[in-house]
Amino acid sequence: MTETEQAEISQNKAIRGYIIRCLVKGYNNTALARQVSNSMMAAELIISPDISKYLNYLEGAGYIEFTDKKVTAYTAYANDAVIRLTKAGIDLAEGTVEDLGVGV
């Protein structure tokens, strides 16, 4: 694995962890997709507001869900969806479970 690939993997983990931490700080463990995206852009973690691949990973792992069942990870930003931590996501944030793909 090249240094570039390792750096990308490390960045992906950091971004997923950042999303989890944002949701922990949100009211009832929730946040708007745009709030999370804008926060990451302000912190210079991402340069594009498209966080769908990170949300897709977290949703697929069962750590997050969208309050509107018609929303997917790929339409969350456009629909300004509300993202909510699941029980598994809370356990991940609290360190009860580990996921090597998320840098919490």
Side-chain angles (χ1 to χ4, degrees), residues 71-93:
V71 172
T72 67
Y74 298 100
T75 62
Y77 185 81
N79 293 331
D80 203 16
V82 176
I83 309 165
R84 177 185 314 146
L85 275 180
T86 62
K87 179 189 176 308
I90 293 169
D91 288 342
L92 178 68

Side-chain angles (χ1 to χ4, degrees), residues 41-83:
M41 287 180 68
E44 298 181 354
L45 285 175
I46 59 174
I47 55 173
S48 166
D50 181 15
I51 58 172
S52 59
K53 75 177 187 178
Y54 311 110
L55 295 178
N56 189 51
Y57 179 95
L58 295 171
E59 181 183 32
Y63 300 135
I64 65 167
E65 63 186 5
F66 301 101
T67 57
D68 182 349
K69 297 302 176 191
K70 294 183 241 174
V71 172
T72 67
Y74 298 100
T75 62
Y77 185 81
N79 293 331
D80 203 16
V82 176
I83 309 165

